[in-house]
Amino acid sequence: MNDDLFLDRVADTLACLPAVHAVTLGGSRAQGTETPDSDWDMAVYYRGGFDPADLRAVGWDGEVSGIGAWGGGVFNGGAWLTIDGRHVDVHYRDLDVVEHELGEAREGRFHWEPLMFHLAGIPSYLVVAELAVNRVLRGTLPRPGYPDALRAAAPPVWRGRAALTLQYAEGAYVRRGRATEVAGALATAALQTAHAVLAARGEWVTNEKRLLDRAGLRGVDAIVAGLRPEPEALAQALAAARELFRDAARSRSL
């Protein structure tokens, strides 16, 4: 079947699951930047007693997690499925949690959570960003703008995390010549800085895949590529990274 018919059938099936109030399409396919082999990123917005067993009972091939299995935070679980030969990710979104984080974001408040495959972790306002950029297929959801209070509050938090990440690497790894650990710290700090840059612009972030490019921080690649397990070389790399991050901050009027 063609993509439009496929999407309609999947959205109808998800919308009929008990407790589901809305279904969205996210990722590159929601933004028109997909390639033919892009996954289909979907979400079910539920209230109350959503049971992943109902999704499992549909019979699609793949893995269906329990609620909270992906860390128990705002990104609280989902499924990796193959439907009619297409790879489909279905994320669970608790409407009570989403509405709470929307209210927090409007007041400039958020918290940080670890999440697999995200080097810098995620801000709790990620679920608000999804409301802003994803395509609603079934039901209704708010479509928030970027709150001024969050635009003011988020950048210094992310910059502070980046500074501490580099500071720790300098104290714990540089003098020991630990190039791998320094590389990890550089990657993490670069992504933290990128979050700061995008927040200062008032641009939503839903994942890390294009975050460095969007923030103008692709130059960190050359710094990481030049690492050597020698204290002097590692110290120079950290200094170069700090300069790159400062330039990004200045250019975005942070």
Side-chain angles (χ1 to χ4, degrees):
M1 68 180 74
N2 66 35
D3 285 348
D4 289 339
L5 181 57
F6 166 78
L7 187 58
D8 274 342
R9 289 187 176 180
V10 174
D12 283 342
T13 301
L14 294 175
C16 287
L17 295 176
V20 171
H21 287 245
V23 178
T24 65
L25 175 68
S28 60
R29 292 188 181 275
Q31 299 173 41
T33 59
E34 77 276 7
T35 62
D37 60 347
S38 293
D39 292 347
W40 297 76
D41 295 312
M42 304 185 72
V44 290
Y45 286 77
Y46 65 88
R47 196 182 301 279
F50 176 73
D51 187 347
D54 294 320
L55 175 57
R56 194 175 295 113
V58 172
W60 288 324
D61 291 335
E63 178 184 341
V64 178
S65 82
I67 298 291
W70 292 1
V74 296
F75 213 105
N76 68 336
W80 292 312
L81 305 169
T82 300
I83 306 172
D84 291 322
R86 297 167 170 89
H87 296 293
V88 180
D89 296 340
V90 179
H91 298 154
Y92 309 153
R93 293 291 177 265
D94 185 331
L95 274 168
D96 289 339
V97 172
V98 171
E99 289 167 358
H100 171 77
E101 295 305 335
L102 174 57
E104 290 289 280
R106 286 171 171 163
E107 297 298 322
R109 296 190 295 263
F110 71 99
H111 62 272
W112 172 91
E113 295 180 1
L115 183 66
M116 283 286 287
F117 316 124
H118 289 67
L119 294 178
I122 62 169
S124 55
Y125 58 78
L126 181 145
V127 293
V128 181
E130 291 174 335
L131 293 177
V133 303
N134 289 359
R135 176 181 162 195
V136 179
L137 303 176
R138 300 292 185 272
T140 58
L141 292 168
R143 197 167 187 85
Y146 205 104
D148 289 340
L150 185 63
R151 188 170 179 174
V157 173
W158 285 112
R159 291 199 310 272
R161 295 185 71 90
L164 287 173
T165 297
L166 294 185
Q167 181 180 328
Y168 184 84
E170 188 170 44
Y173 303 132
V174 167
R175 63 186 175 85
R176 295 179 174 89
R178 306 299 195 205
T180 297
E181 289 86 341
V182 171
L186 286 170
T188 300
L191 289 161
Q192 291 164 335
T193 302
H195 271 290
V197 170
L198 272 294
R201 290 186 197 158
E203 295 183 17
W204 293 112
V205 173
T206 57
N207 59 58
E208 293 180 344
K209 292 177 182 177
R210 296 179 53 247
L211 188 50
L212 293 180
D213 300 273
R214 291 174 63 192
L217 287 168
R218 200 76 261 172
V220 75
D221 289 343
I223 298 173
V224 172
L227 290 177
R228 301 190 308 278
E230 303 162 5
E232 183 178 355
L234 296 179
Q236 290 173 350
L238 290 183
R242 287 188 173 103
E243 182 177 358
L244 175 68
F245 299 164
R246 282 194 296 267
D247 288 345
R250 284 194 293 267
S251 68
R252 301 304 183 268
S253 300
L254 291 184

